[in-house]
Structures are given as C-alpha cells and as structure tokens.
Amino acid sequence: MDATVGRRERKKAATRQALADAALRLFTEHGYDRVTVRDVAEAADVSTTTLLKHFPSKEALVFDQETDREADLVAAVRDRAPDRSVPGALRAYVEDAQLRAPDADPRFRAFADLVRDTPALSEYARRMWTRHQEALAHAVADATGAEPDDPRCAALARFTLEASALARDSADPARALDAAFDLLEHGWQAG
C-alpha cells in the first residue's frame, strides 16, 4: 500500500514539474500572452483538466515554489546566527533571493525577465510574495519574544517584503536593498 501511495505522489509531482517546465519554456520562447493553458497541457502531454488540477490559473504555472519561499523566509529568522539581528537575517535572505539567485542560474534570469516584462505576472508575483507577511510576522514575534499581534512585527514583515519589490524594480537593486534595510535596522536618519 505504501509503495502505491508513494508511486502516486511521485507521478503527481512529476506531472506537476513537467507542466511547470513546459509553461516556463513556452512562456519564455513565445511570450506569456501568446501561450494558452491548452498549449502548456499539450507540451506536457496531459489534458487541460489535468493541468487545472495541478495549477488553478495560468499565472500559477509560473510560480510553483511559493510554499518553499515562505518556509525559507521563516527559517531566515528562526535559524539566524545568535549575533545577527532579525532585520540583518532578512536582509541577507532578500539579498540572496534578489541579487545572487539571478546570477547563479540562467533559467532564473529568464524567469525574472518574464515576470518583470509581463504585467499580469508582475502583479501576481507581488500578491504571492506579500501573502507571506503573516507567517513572517509570526516568525519575527516568536524570535523576539513579542506578542503574536505586535504591530512592529507586522510592520517589519511588510517592509521586508516591500524592500524586495523595491529592489526588483530598481535600476540599482543592491543600493535599493541597502537603503531599505539600513532604514529597517537603524531607523530614519534625516540628513
């Protein structure tokens, strides 16, 4: 019985990955707006119904790892070094996700360009990213001993997520991240 369940789950995961890979390939080759859900299903050799069981929308085909991102954000706070501040740990995570990841994998650059150049995907990406605010705020509260509903934790979570968007949209992402996280770490210094 366990082997059957394991096999089914592996098959589902393989189908899901084939769909995500086909979608990214087609979207980068032909443009997001020129590719239909049916095109992606055909490229992955599955029915449109099967595709929609795995991905509820066309945009969702592009963002397949969102659960991992939330876990990584929470881990950045929870597993930080004892001498590292919460904003410092979040800064390191966002720098790695926004500045280093694109350079490490050429497929990520194609993905980032696709999202940036497609308004529907840019908006979807922003909604998907900012939905991690509550989990991140709870992680900050746990890590600092604050009350779960402390508005400072919610603010730090929101501003962290917005700093990432600020960097992504900036001509100089590193400078934008430095400015945002310096402000989060040290507060406003008029000058």
Short mmCIF file of all heavy atoms in Angstrom, two decimals, residues 35-84:
data_model
loop_
_atom_site.label_atom_id
_atom_site.label_comp_id
_atom_site.label_asym_id
_atom_site.label_seq_id
_atom_site.Cartn_x
_atom_site.Cartn_y
_atom_site.Cartn_z
N VAL A 35 0.71 32.25 -25.25
CA VAL A 35 0.62 30.83 -24.92
C VAL A 35 -0.66 30.59 -24.12
O VAL A 35 -0.95 31.32 -23.18
CB VAL A 35 1.85 30.39 -24.10
CG1 VAL A 35 1.72 28.93 -23.66
CG2 VAL A 35 3.14 30.60 -24.90
N THR A 36 -1.39 29.58 -24.50
CA THR A 36 -2.62 29.24 -23.78
C THR A 36 -2.37 28.09 -22.80
O THR A 36 -1.35 27.38 -22.91
CB THR A 36 -3.73 28.80 -24.76
OG1 THR A 36 -3.33 27.56 -25.38
CG2 THR A 36 -3.99 29.87 -25.82
N VAL A 37 -3.31 27.91 -21.91
CA VAL A 37 -3.25 26.78 -20.99
C VAL A 37 -3.25 25.47 -21.78
O VAL A 37 -2.53 24.53 -21.45
CB VAL A 37 -4.43 26.84 -19.99
CG1 VAL A 37 -4.55 25.57 -19.18
CG2 VAL A 37 -4.28 28.04 -19.07
N ARG A 38 -4.03 25.43 -22.84
CA ARG A 38 -4.07 24.23 -23.69
C ARG A 38 -2.69 23.96 -24.31
O ARG A 38 -2.26 22.81 -24.40
CB ARG A 38 -5.11 24.41 -24.79
CG ARG A 38 -5.16 23.21 -25.72
CD ARG A 38 -6.28 23.33 -26.69
NE ARG A 38 -7.49 23.06 -25.90
CZ ARG A 38 -8.70 23.12 -26.35
NH1 ARG A 38 -8.93 23.44 -27.60
NH2 ARG A 38 -9.72 22.85 -25.58
N ASP A 39 -1.97 25.01 -24.75
CA ASP A 39 -0.63 24.83 -25.31
C ASP A 39 0.30 24.17 -24.29
O ASP A 39 1.08 23.27 -24.62
CB ASP A 39 -0.02 26.18 -25.72
CG ASP A 39 -0.75 26.87 -26.85
OD1 ASP A 39 -1.39 26.18 -27.68
OD2 ASP A 39 -0.68 28.12 -26.90
N VAL A 40 0.21 24.63 -23.05
CA VAL A 40 1.06 24.07 -21.99
C VAL A 40 0.70 22.61 -21.74
O VAL A 40 1.58 21.75 -21.64
CB VAL A 40 0.95 24.91 -20.70
CG1 VAL A 40 1.75 24.25 -19.57
CG2 VAL A 40 1.43 26.34 -20.93
N ALA A 41 -0.58 22.32 -21.65
CA ALA A 41 -1.02 20.95 -21.43
C ALA A 41 -0.53 20.02 -22.54
O ALA A 41 -0.01 18.93 -22.27
CB ALA A 41 -2.55 20.90 -21.33
N GLU A 42 -0.66 20.47 -23.78
CA GLU A 42 -0.20 19.66 -24.91
C GLU A 42 1.31 19.43 -24.86
O GLU A 42 1.79 18.32 -25.11
CB GLU A 42 -0.60 20.31 -26.22
CG GLU A 42 -2.08 20.19 -26.51
CD GLU A 42 -2.52 20.91 -27.78
OE1 GLU A 42 -1.65 21.36 -28.56
OE2 GLU A 42 -3.74 21.03 -27.99
N ALA A 43 2.05 20.48 -24.51
CA ALA A 43 3.51 20.35 -24.43
C ALA A 43 3.94 19.36 -23.35
O ALA A 43 4.96 18.69 -23.48
CB ALA A 43 4.15 21.71 -24.19
N ALA A 44 3.14 19.27 -22.29
CA ALA A 44 3.44 18.33 -21.20
C ALA A 44 2.74 16.98 -21.39
O ALA A 44 2.88 16.09 -20.55
CB ALA A 44 3.03 18.94 -19.87
N ASP A 45 2.01 16.85 -22.50
CA ASP A 45 1.30 15.62 -22.84
C ASP A 45 0.29 15.20 -21.77
O ASP A 45 0.23 14.04 -21.36
CB ASP A 45 2.30 14.49 -23.11
CG ASP A 45 1.65 13.33 -23.87
OD1 ASP A 45 0.66 13.57 -24.59
OD2 ASP A 45 2.12 12.19 -23.70
N VAL A 46 -0.50 16.20 -21.32
CA VAL A 46 -1.60 15.93 -20.39
C VAL A 46 -2.83 16.70 -20.88
O VAL A 46 -2.72 17.58 -21.74
CB VAL A 46 -1.28 16.34 -18.94
CG1 VAL A 46 -0.07 15.58 -18.41
CG2 VAL A 46 -1.08 17.84 -18.81
N SER A 47 -3.97 16.40 -20.31
CA SER A 47 -5.19 17.13 -20.67
C SER A 47 -5.23 18.48 -19.95
O SER A 47 -4.55 18.68 -18.93
CB SER A 47 -6.42 16.31 -20.28
OG SER A 47 -6.54 16.26 -18.87
N THR A 48 -6.03 19.37 -20.48
CA THR A 48 -6.23 20.67 -19.82
C THR A 48 -6.82 20.47 -18.44
O THR A 48 -6.46 21.16 -17.48
CB THR A 48 -7.13 21.57 -20.69
OG1 THR A 48 -6.53 21.71 -21.98
CG2 THR A 48 -7.29 22.94 -20.07
N THR A 49 -7.70 19.50 -18.30
CA THR A 49 -8.31 19.20 -17.00
C THR A 49 -7.23 18.80 -15.99
O THR A 49 -7.25 19.24 -14.84
CB THR A 49 -9.36 18.07 -17.14
OG1 THR A 49 -10.32 18.47 -18.11
CG2 THR A 49 -10.03 17.77 -15.83
N THR A 50 -6.29 17.97 -16.42
CA THR A 50 -5.20 17.56 -15.54
C THR A 50 -4.36 18.77 -15.15
O THR A 50 -3.99 18.93 -13.98
CB THR A 50 -4.32 16.49 -16.21
OG1 THR A 50 -5.12 15.34 -16.46
CG2 THR A 50 -3.13 16.12 -15.35
N LEU A 51 -4.06 19.63 -16.10
CA LEU A 51 -3.29 20.84 -15.80
C LEU A 51 -4.00 21.65 -14.72
O LEU A 51 -3.38 22.09 -13.74
CB LEU A 51 -3.11 21.69 -17.05
CG LEU A 51 -2.32 22.98 -16.87
CD1 LEU A 51 -1.53 23.29 -18.12
CD2 LEU A 51 -3.21 24.14 -16.54
N LEU A 52 -5.31 21.83 -14.88
CA LEU A 52 -6.06 22.67 -13.93
C LEU A 52 -6.21 22.01 -12.56
O LEU A 52 -6.44 22.71 -11.57
CB LEU A 52 -7.42 23.04 -14.52
CG LEU A 52 -7.33 23.97 -15.74
CD1 LEU A 52 -8.69 24.14 -16.39
CD2 LEU A 52 -6.73 25.31 -15.35
N LYS A 53 -6.02 20.72 -12.47
CA LYS A 53 -5.99 20.06 -11.16
C LYS A 53 -4.73 20.42 -10.41
O LYS A 53 -4.71 20.47 -9.18
CB LYS A 53 -6.08 18.54 -11.32
CG LYS A 53 -7.46 18.04 -11.69
CD LYS A 53 -7.44 16.53 -11.83
CE LYS A 53 -8.79 16.02 -12.30
NZ LYS A 53 -8.76 14.56 -12.53
N HIS A 54 -3.66 20.65 -11.14
CA HIS A 54 -2.37 20.98 -10.52
C HIS A 54 -2.17 22.48 -10.34
O HIS A 54 -1.52 22.91 -9.39
CB HIS A 54 -1.21 20.42 -11.37
CG HIS A 54 -1.11 18.94 -11.33
ND1 HIS A 54 -0.46 18.27 -10.33
CD2 HIS A 54 -1.60 17.99 -12.17
CE1 HIS A 54 -0.53 16.98 -10.54
NE2 HIS A 54 -1.22 16.77 -11.66
N PHE A 55 -2.69 23.27 -11.27
CA PHE A 55 -2.50 24.72 -11.26
C PHE A 55 -3.84 25.40 -11.51
O PHE A 55 -4.42 25.24 -12.58
CB PHE A 55 -1.50 25.13 -12.35
CG PHE A 55 -0.12 24.57 -12.14
CD1 PHE A 55 0.27 23.39 -12.76
CD2 PHE A 55 0.78 25.23 -11.32
CE1 PHE A 55 1.54 22.87 -12.57
CE2 PHE A 55 2.05 24.71 -11.11
CZ PHE A 55 2.44 23.54 -11.74
N PRO A 56 -4.33 26.17 -10.56
CA PRO A 56 -5.66 26.75 -10.69
C PRO A 56 -5.77 27.90 -11.70
O PRO A 56 -6.86 28.28 -12.08
CB PRO A 56 -5.97 27.26 -9.28
CG PRO A 56 -4.63 27.49 -8.67
CD PRO A 56 -3.73 26.47 -9.27
N SER A 57 -4.63 28.42 -12.14
CA SER A 57 -4.66 29.53 -13.10
C SER A 57 -3.40 29.50 -13.95
O SER A 57 -2.42 28.84 -13.62
CB SER A 57 -4.74 30.88 -12.36
OG SER A 57 -3.52 31.12 -11.66
N LYS A 58 -3.45 30.24 -15.02
CA LYS A 58 -2.29 30.33 -15.91
C LYS A 58 -1.09 30.94 -15.17
O LYS A 58 0.04 30.47 -15.30
CB LYS A 58 -2.66 31.18 -17.13
CG LYS A 58 -1.59 31.26 -18.19
CD LYS A 58 -2.10 32.06 -19.38
CE LYS A 58 -1.02 32.34 -20.39
NZ LYS A 58 -1.50 33.17 -21.49
N GLU A 59 -1.34 31.96 -14.36
CA GLU A 59 -0.25 32.60 -13.60
C GLU A 59 0.42 31.62 -12.65
O GLU A 59 1.63 31.66 -12.44
CB GLU A 59 -0.77 33.80 -12.80
CG GLU A 59 -1.27 34.94 -13.64
CD GLU A 59 -2.75 34.82 -13.99
OE1 GLU A 59 -3.40 33.81 -13.64
OE2 GLU A 59 -3.28 35.74 -14.63
N ALA A 60 -0.40 30.74 -12.06
CA ALA A 60 0.15 29.78 -11.09
C ALA A 60 1.18 28.85 -11.71
O ALA A 60 2.05 28.33 -11.01
CB ALA A 60 -0.98 28.98 -10.46
N LEU A 61 1.11 28.64 -13.02
CA LEU A 61 2.09 27.80 -13.70
C LEU A 61 3.51 28.35 -13.56
O LEU A 61 4.48 27.59 -13.59
CB LEU A 61 1.76 27.70 -15.20
CG LEU A 61 0.62 26.78 -15.57
CD1 LEU A 61 0.08 27.12 -16.94
CD2 LEU A 61 1.09 25.33 -15.50
N VAL A 62 3.63 29.65 -13.40
CA VAL A 62 4.94 30.28 -13.34
C VAL A 62 5.50 30.24 -11.92
O VAL A 62 6.72 30.22 -11.73
CB VAL A 62 4.85 31.74 -13.85
CG1 VAL A 62 6.19 32.43 -13.77
CG2 VAL A 62 4.32 31.75 -15.27
N PHE A 63 4.63 30.22 -10.93
CA PHE A 63 5.06 30.31 -9.53
C PHE A 63 4.78 29.01 -8.82
O PHE A 63 3.78 28.85 -8.14
CB PHE A 63 4.33 31.47 -8.84
CG PHE A 63 4.62 32.79 -9.49
CD1 PHE A 63 3.76 33.30 -10.45
CD2 PHE A 63 5.76 33.49 -9.18
CE1 PHE A 63 4.04 34.51 -11.07
CE2 PHE A 63 6.04 34.69 -9.79
CZ PHE A 63 5.18 35.20 -10.74
N ASP A 64 5.70 28.08 -8.96
CA ASP A 64 5.49 26.72 -8.47
C ASP A 64 6.13 26.47 -7.11
O ASP A 64 5.88 25.46 -6.49
CB ASP A 64 6.06 25.74 -9.50
CG ASP A 64 5.66 24.31 -9.22
OD1 ASP A 64 4.55 24.09 -8.74
OD2 ASP A 64 6.49 23.41 -9.48
N GLN A 65 6.95 27.38 -6.61
CA GLN A 65 7.72 27.11 -5.39
C GLN A 65 7.36 28.04 -4.25
O GLN A 65 8.16 28.28 -3.36
CB GLN A 65 9.22 27.24 -5.70
CG GLN A 65 9.71 26.42 -6.86
CD GLN A 65 9.57 24.94 -6.62
OE1 GLN A 65 9.75 24.48 -5.51
NE2 GLN A 65 9.24 24.19 -7.64
N GLU A 66 6.16 28.58 -4.23
CA GLU A 66 5.79 29.58 -3.22
C GLU A 66 5.79 29.04 -1.80
O GLU A 66 6.12 29.76 -0.87
CB GLU A 66 4.45 30.22 -3.56
CG GLU A 66 4.55 31.22 -4.69
CD GLU A 66 5.58 32.31 -4.45
OE1 GLU A 66 5.53 33.00 -3.42
OE2 GLU A 66 6.45 32.48 -5.32
N THR A 67 5.42 27.80 -1.59
CA THR A 67 5.44 27.24 -0.24
C THR A 67 6.87 27.21 0.28
O THR A 67 7.12 27.52 1.44
CB THR A 67 4.83 25.83 -0.24
OG1 THR A 67 3.52 25.91 -0.77
CG2 THR A 67 4.77 25.26 1.16
N ASP A 68 7.81 26.87 -0.59
CA ASP A 68 9.21 26.86 -0.19
C ASP A 68 9.69 28.25 0.19
O ASP A 68 10.47 28.40 1.14
CB ASP A 68 10.09 26.33 -1.34
CG ASP A 68 9.79 24.88 -1.68
OD1 ASP A 68 9.18 24.17 -0.85
OD2 ASP A 68 10.16 24.46 -2.79
N ARG A 69 9.23 29.27 -0.50
CA ARG A 69 9.66 30.63 -0.21
C ARG A 69 9.24 31.05 1.19
O ARG A 69 10.00 31.66 1.91
CB ARG A 69 9.12 31.61 -1.25
CG ARG A 69 9.66 31.27 -2.63
CD ARG A 69 9.44 32.38 -3.57
NE ARG A 69 10.74 33.04 -3.66
CZ ARG A 69 10.91 34.25 -4.11
NH1 ARG A 69 9.92 34.97 -4.50
NH2 ARG A 69 12.12 34.77 -4.18
N GLU A 70 8.00 30.73 1.56
CA GLU A 70 7.54 31.10 2.90
C GLU A 70 8.37 30.38 3.96
O GLU A 70 8.79 30.98 4.94
CB GLU A 70 6.06 30.77 3.06
CG GLU A 70 5.50 31.24 4.39
CD GLU A 70 4.00 31.14 4.45
OE1 GLU A 70 3.33 31.92 3.74
OE2 GLU A 70 3.50 30.29 5.22
N ALA A 71 8.62 29.11 3.76
CA ALA A 71 9.42 28.34 4.71
C ALA A 71 10.83 28.93 4.80
O ALA A 71 11.40 29.02 5.90
CB ALA A 71 9.48 26.88 4.29
N ASP A 72 11.39 29.35 3.68
CA ASP A 72 12.73 29.95 3.68
C ASP A 72 12.76 31.29 4.43
O ASP A 72 13.71 31.59 5.15
CB ASP A 72 13.24 30.15 2.25
CG ASP A 72 13.53 28.84 1.55
OD1 ASP A 72 13.61 27.79 2.21
OD2 ASP A 72 13.66 28.87 0.30
N LEU A 73 11.72 32.10 4.24
CA LEU A 73 11.63 33.38 4.97
C LEU A 73 11.58 33.14 6.48
O LEU A 73 12.30 33.79 7.25
CB LEU A 73 10.38 34.15 4.54
CG LEU A 73 10.48 35.03 3.32
CD1 LEU A 73 9.08 35.41 2.84
CD2 LEU A 73 11.30 36.27 3.62
N VAL A 74 10.73 32.22 6.89
CA VAL A 74 10.60 31.91 8.31
C VAL A 74 11.92 31.36 8.84
O VAL A 74 12.38 31.74 9.92
CB VAL A 74 9.43 30.93 8.54
CG1 VAL A 74 9.44 30.37 9.95
CG2 VAL A 74 8.10 31.64 8.25
N ALA A 75 12.56 30.49 8.09
CA ALA A 75 13.84 29.91 8.51
C ALA A 75 14.93 30.98 8.62
O ALA A 75 15.80 30.89 9.49
CB ALA A 75 14.27 28.81 7.54
N ALA A 76 14.89 31.99 7.75
CA ALA A 76 15.89 33.06 7.83
C ALA A 76 15.84 33.74 9.19
O ALA A 76 16.88 34.12 9.74
CB ALA A 76 15.65 34.08 6.71
N VAL A 77 14.66 33.89 9.74
CA VAL A 77 14.50 34.50 11.06
C VAL A 77 14.81 33.48 12.15
O VAL A 77 15.61 33.74 13.06
CB VAL A 77 13.07 35.05 11.23
CG1 VAL A 77 12.83 35.53 12.65
CG2 VAL A 77 12.81 36.16 10.23
N ARG A 78 14.19 32.33 12.08
CA ARG A 78 14.30 31.32 13.13
C ARG A 78 15.73 30.77 13.27
O ARG A 78 16.21 30.55 14.39
CB ARG A 78 13.33 30.17 12.81
CG ARG A 78 13.28 29.09 13.87
CD ARG A 78 12.51 27.86 13.41
NE ARG A 78 13.15 27.31 12.22
CZ ARG A 78 12.51 27.01 11.09
NH1 ARG A 78 11.22 27.19 10.98
NH2 ARG A 78 13.17 26.50 10.07
N ASP A 79 16.42 30.57 12.16
CA ASP A 79 17.72 29.90 12.18
C ASP A 79 18.90 30.87 12.08
O ASP A 79 20.02 30.44 11.80
CB ASP A 79 17.80 28.89 11.03
CG ASP A 79 16.71 27.83 11.10
OD1 ASP A 79 16.16 27.60 12.20
OD2 ASP A 79 16.40 27.24 10.06
N ARG A 80 18.66 32.14 12.30
CA ARG A 80 19.75 33.12 12.17
C ARG A 80 20.79 32.90 13.26
O ARG A 80 20.51 32.31 14.31
CB ARG A 80 19.20 34.54 12.23
CG ARG A 80 18.75 34.98 13.58
CD ARG A 80 18.02 36.33 13.53
NE ARG A 80 17.81 36.85 14.86
CZ ARG A 80 16.95 36.37 15.74
NH1 ARG A 80 16.21 35.32 15.42
NH2 ARG A 80 16.84 36.90 16.94
N ALA A 81 22.00 33.37 13.01
CA ALA A 81 23.07 33.27 13.99
C ALA A 81 22.71 34.10 15.22
O ALA A 81 22.03 35.12 15.11
CB ALA A 81 24.38 33.79 13.37
N PRO A 82 23.15 33.69 16.39
CA PRO A 82 22.79 34.40 17.63
C PRO A 82 23.19 35.88 17.63
O PRO A 82 22.52 36.70 18.25
CB PRO A 82 23.55 33.65 18.72
CG PRO A 82 23.90 32.33 18.14
CD PRO A 82 23.98 32.51 16.65
N ASP A 83 24.24 36.21 16.91
CA ASP A 83 24.70 37.61 16.90
C ASP A 83 24.09 38.43 15.76
O ASP A 83 24.43 39.59 15.58
CB ASP A 83 26.23 37.66 16.83
CG ASP A 83 26.77 37.00 15.57
OD1 ASP A 83 26.08 36.15 14.96
OD2 ASP A 83 27.91 37.33 15.18
N ARG A 84 23.20 37.84 14.99
CA ARG A 84 22.59 38.54 13.85
C ARG A 84 21.19 39.02 14.22
O ARG A 84 20.39 38.26 14.75
CB ARG A 84 22.51 37.62 12.64
CG ARG A 84 21.88 38.31 11.43
CD ARG A 84 22.02 37.47 10.21
NE ARG A 84 23.12 38.04 9.45
CZ ARG A 84 23.57 37.57 8.31
NH1 ARG A 84 23.05 36.49 7.79
NH2 ARG A 84 24.54 38.16 7.67
#
